[in-house]
């Protein structure tokens, strides 16, 4: 049973992998490195400032996300692309199969790479193919298991596109202080991603850390997963919190929503000072997608990050919450104002657009998680509030992003300490577990904390935000040096970050 389950699981992931790489091969037919495209524009946002109480009290979490980016070398990249397109192997040819297999192998899926070559009829008589199989087998044999209990999990919030807007008026604007503490800039994110990649970090999926088996009663059990990487490579998990483009972000130099470009790829919309809207790589998702496209060995079998979503302001920049339609008497002032300036608002249209974007993100390897509907402090909340909140999440967010068994708690709160974990009688855990949640994440400053019990998986997370980067960069804290040197990445436009009170 167990074995069967594993087989099914690896087949499913192989399929996903294949789809993922196939798509890429079709567009660029690349050898290992695919080319990137378009440079990232920077810009600025305009629009009305709004405050969001929920967000303000709430952003106790942090951000972080390592793996992304590198300055795009547009001209060179374009040239390379032209060349590659010119010599693109014919679909179905052994050259095309080899290119695809090389991509799979770059993502450490040697079995899938070998299988792909062996599926090519007559591969035995093509020297390049038999040599490739030997090469894949040799590389596979070199791999060593990752120590699952020592895998760090880092996270970011939405990235600051324009630091001058986000960080202005530190003395008088509490939100600017929050931006400085909790947010990471695009420049910092890109540097961190490149440095971690250079240091051998490989992005793995949150679910790669566990192996799931279903018993004869249909109950799922969890144990440590197996991740095999070449010696010297190190695994890490990534999540992104609050990818909702809250009303409170307006005017502070963040992207305004996720959209799909003409190729159906997830990008961000950014509103410039003059009100014009540009589409580009203005947040973690498109930046990381591009980085992994350029560096297929940055990701283990196509893994991306897990995106933790609340629902109260909608998701991904779409105002998908029912309250925008029902407009209750106590509706938040931000929502009211937004509705006044968007008379064309239609809930179903908004939800359909959001779902389209979420579907495209999932197809690219991104995973979604609950962050609670109301960004609630789950540790302090009553059972009644937790239940009401969970219902709202399931009604307003789940239909857009699909079912998930991952919950990433807001405000870094949790249901129990380490190492005791969730034990029988933990009412909130039992409630969430009965609502389908099996993977739980909090925030702490530990390098890593992984707890895999028979009935759940739990991993702590580290914020790669302004607070951590700043205090590490001035030598008052040492919480990042295993990942990167903070003084190498801190944005010169970031002002000193005040201590938390
Ligand atoms: Zn949050």
């Amino acid at each position: 049973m167990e074995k069967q389950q594993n087989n099914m699981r690896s087949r499913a992931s192989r399929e996903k992998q294949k789809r993922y790489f196939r798509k890429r091969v079709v567009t660029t037919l690349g050898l290992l490195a695919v080319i990137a495209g378009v440079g990232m524009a920077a810009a600025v946002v305009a629009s009305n400032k709004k405050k969001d109480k929920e967000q303000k009290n709430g952003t106790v979490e942090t951000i972080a996300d390592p793996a992304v980016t590198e300055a795009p070398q547009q001209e060179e990249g374009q040239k390379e692309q032209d060349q590659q397109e010119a010599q693109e192997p014919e679909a179905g040819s052994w050259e095309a199969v080899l290119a695809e297999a090389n991509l799979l192998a770059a993502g450490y899926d040697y079995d899938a790479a070998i299988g792909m070559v062996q599926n090519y009829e007559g591969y035995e008589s093509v020297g390049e193919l038999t040599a490739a199989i030997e090469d894949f087998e040799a590389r596979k044999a070199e791999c060593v298991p990752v120590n699952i209990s020592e895998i760090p999990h880092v996270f970011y919030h939405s990235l600051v596109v324009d630091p001058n807007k986000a960080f202005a008026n530190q003395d008088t604007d509490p939100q600017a202080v929050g931006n400085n503490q909790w947010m990471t800039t695009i420049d910092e994110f890109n540097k961190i991603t490149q440095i971690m990649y250079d240091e051998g970090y490989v992005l793995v999926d949150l679910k790669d850390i566990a192996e799931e088996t279903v018993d004869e009663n249909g109950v799922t059990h969890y144990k440590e997963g197996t991740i095999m990487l070449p010696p010297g490579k190190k695994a890490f998990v990534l999540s992104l919190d609050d990818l909702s483009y809250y009303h409170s972000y307006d005017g502070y130099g963040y992207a305004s929503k996720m959209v799909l470009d003409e190729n159906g790829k997830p990008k961000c919309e950014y509103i410039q000072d003059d009100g014009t809207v540009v589409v580009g790589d203005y947040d973690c998702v498109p930046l990381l997608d591009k980085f992994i496209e350029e560096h297929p060995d940055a990701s283990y079998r196509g893994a991306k990050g897990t995106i933790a979503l609340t629902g109260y302001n909608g998701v991904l920049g779409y105002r998908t919450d029912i309250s925008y339609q029902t407009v209750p008497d106590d509706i938040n002032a931000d929502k009211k104002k937004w509705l006044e300036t968007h008379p064309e608002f239609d809930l179903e249209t908004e939800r359909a657009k959001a779902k389209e974007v979420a579907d495209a993100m999932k197809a690219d390897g991104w995973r979604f998680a609950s962050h609670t509907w109301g960004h609630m402090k789950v540790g302090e909340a009553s059972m009644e509030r937790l239940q009401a909140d969970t219902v709202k999440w399931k009604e307003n967010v789940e239909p857009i992003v699909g079912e998930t068994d991952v919950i990433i708690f807001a405000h870094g709160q949790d249901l129990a300490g380490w190492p005791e974990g969730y034990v029988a009688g933990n009412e909130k855990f039992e409630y969430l577990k009965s609502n389908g949640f099996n993977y739980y994440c909090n925030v702490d400053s530990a390098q890593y904390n992984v707890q895999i019990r028979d009935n759940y998986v739990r991993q702590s997370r580290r914020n790669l935000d302004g607070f951590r980067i700043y205090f590490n960069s001035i030598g008052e804290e040492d919480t990042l040096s295993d990942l990167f040197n903070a003084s190498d990445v801190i944005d010169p436009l970031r002002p000193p970050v005040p201590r938390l009170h």
Side-chain angles (χ1 to χ4, degrees):
M1 188 64 182
E2 196 170 295
K3 203 163 184 193
Q4 202 180 333
Q5 186 69 20
N6 293 343
N7 287 342
M8 280 170 58
R9 189 165 177 256
S10 65
R11 210 178 313 129
S13 80
R14 214 176 307 138
E15 261 316 305
K16 189 179 94 182
Q17 199 56 20
K18 275 194 226 157
R19 255 182 279 130
Y20 171 74
F21 286 114
R22 197 167 299 135
K23 232 191 286 174
R24 291 208 324 222
V25 173
V26 170
T27 43
T28 24
L29 205 295
L31 305 170
L32 291 191
V34 184
I35 332 247
V38 198
M40 185 182 85
V44 186
V45 170
S47 64
N48 17 347
K49 268 191 197 176
K50 294 176 180 180
K51 284 184 217 140
D52 180 69
K53 225 193 260 164
E54 289 155 291
Q55 160 67 11
K56 241 198 238 162
N57 313 334
T59 323
V60 179
E61 306 161 35
T62 339
I63 297 183
D65 190 25
V68 174
T69 287
E70 179 174 78
Q73 298 167 342
Q74 201 167 346
E75 283 174 28
E76 216 173 281
Q78 188 56 51
K79 246 183 273 163
E80 247 177 85
Q81 187 162 13
D82 292 345
Q83 276 173 11
Q84 286 206 1
E85 275 169 8
Q87 64 196 37
E88 185 171 318
E90 197 184 322
S93 65
W94 70 260
E95 290 93 339
V97 168
L98 181 58
E100 191 166 352
N102 275 330
L103 274 175
L104 287 167
Y108 314 99
D109 199 348
Y110 304 107
D111 287 341
I114 291 166
M116 174 145 298
V117 172
Q118 289 174 338
N119 273 341
Y120 182 78
E121 209 179 310
Y123 77 90
E124 298 96 329
S125 56
V126 182
E128 287 86 345
L129 294 183
T130 53
I133 290 178
E134 262 175 54
D135 171 52
F136 298 152
E137 275 168 353
R139 284 157 67 188
K140 181 187 172 189
E142 273 178 12
C143 287
V144 292
V146 169
N147 185 342
I148 298 289
S149 62
E150 294 182 357
I151 297 179
H153 181 157
V154 301
F155 76 100
Y156 298 92
H157 287 107
S158 283
L159 298 177
V160 168
V161 180
D162 184 353
N164 290 322
K165 282 196 150 46
F167 304 144
N169 307 314
Q170 291 287 299
D171 298 338
T172 54
D173 181 357
Q175 179 150 346
V177 175
N179 292 339
N180 196 8
Q181 288 173 324
W182 311 125
M183 304 315 209
T184 311
T185 69
I186 283 186
D187 188 47
E188 290 168 340
F189 176 83
N190 287 342
K191 283 180 177 153
I192 292 169
T193 301
Q194 183 66 51
I195 291 170
M196 286 184 65
Y197 171 75
D198 292 341
E199 293 295 315
Y201 279 97
V202 175
L203 176 61
V204 303
D205 189 278
L206 172 62
K207 292 200 169 186
D208 287 333
I209 70 175
E211 184 180 317
E212 303 179 6
T213 53
V214 181
D215 68 18
E216 59 277 15
N217 300 316
V219 177
T220 304
H221 301 273
Y222 299 87
K223 63 180 183 185
E224 272 196 3
T226 304
I227 298 172
M228 301 293 288
L229 288 175
K233 294 284 186 186
K234 296 168 276 191
F236 77 100
V237 173
L238 165 74
S239 49
L240 308 178
D241 287 12
D242 298 285
L243 197 61
S244 295
Y245 302 107
Y246 296 128
H247 294 307
S248 60
Y249 290 15
D250 288 357
Y252 281 103
Y254 297 96
S256 55
K257 60 166 61 167
M258 297 283 313
V259 294
L260 299 182
D261 70 5
E262 63 281 6
N263 302 312
K265 301 300 288 179
K267 296 284 176 186
C268 299
E269 200 174 271
Y270 186 82
I271 304 167
Q272 305 186 98
D273 276 346
D274 63 2
T276 54
V277 174
V278 288
V279 172
D281 300 337
Y282 299 110
D283 210 341
C284 300
V285 169
L287 287 170
L288 188 62
D289 284 346
K290 187 167 74 180
F291 189 86
I292 292 174
E293 203 167 294
E294 292 168 345
H295 307 86
D297 57 337
S299 160
Y300 182 71
R301 307 185 173 191
K304 296 284 174 70
T306 298
I307 296 171
L309 293 175
T310 61
Y312 64 90
N313 270 183
V315 299
L316 308 175
Y318 297 86
R319 305 309 167 199
T320 51
D321 193 62
I322 189 74
S323 58
Y324 288 87
Q325 180 175 277
T326 55
V327 195
D329 291 343
D330 62 347
I331 193 169
N332 175 296
D334 288 342
K335 295 185 183 180
K336 205 169 174 181
K337 192 167 175 192
W338 187 86
L339 283 168
E340 282 165 10
T341 52
H342 295 81
E344 76 290 356
F345 169 75
D346 173 69
L347 184 66
E348 289 318 310
T349 307
E350 204 75 356
R351 286 182 171 183
K353 281 189 204 158
K355 186 171 185 304
E356 214 174 80
V357 177
D359 286 345
M361 290 165 71
K362 285 193 281 186
D364 273 355
W366 293 92
R367 181 184 291 292
F368 289 100
S370 169
H371 196 42
T372 72
W373 177 88
H375 208 268
M376 79 184 307
K377 291 182 171 169
V378 72
E380 299 163 18
S382 64
M383 270 308 291
E384 292 66 31
R385 279 196 54 218
L386 176 61
Q387 289 164 352
D389 181 277
T390 305
V391 169
K392 280 184 172 179
W393 198 90
K394 287 192 173 276
E395 287 178 357
N396 290 281
V397 184
E398 188 180 277
I400 296 161
V401 303
E403 282 186 20
T404 179
D405 67 345
V406 182
I407 185 160
I408 291 179
F409 295 125
H411 300 278
Q413 293 211 338
D414 204 345
L415 307 175
W418 304 84
E420 62 269 26
Y422 310 147
V423 295
N426 184 325
E427 201 183 2
K428 288 175 184 170
F429 167 69
E430 284 172 358
Y431 171 74
L432 290 171
K433 174 78 187 170
S434 72
N435 273 273
F437 293 105
N438 299 312
Y439 290 77
Y440 299 78
C441 297
N442 70 337
V443 178
D444 67 26
S445 44
Q447 200 178 337
Y448 37 69
N449 257 319
V450 178
Q451 186 170 66
I452 300 178
R453 298 232 168 122
D454 182 63
N455 58 340
Y456 71 86
V457 177
R458 184 185 185 211
Q459 189 179 33
S460 72
R461 305 186 304 149
R462 305 162 64 178
N463 39 312
L464 301 190
D465 57 12
F467 188 87
R468 292 271 175 252
I469 291 170
Y470 176 73
F471 285 105
N472 275 268
S473 78
I474 61 170
E476 287 192 14
E477 211 179 80
D478 180 13
T479 49
L480 300 175
S481 56
D482 57 317
L483 306 174
F484 54 87
N485 183 348
S487 52
D488 292 339
V489 310
I490 191 164
D491 196 312
L493 295 175
R494 179 182 293 287
V497 177
R499 281 271 172 203
L500 299 176
H501 300 297

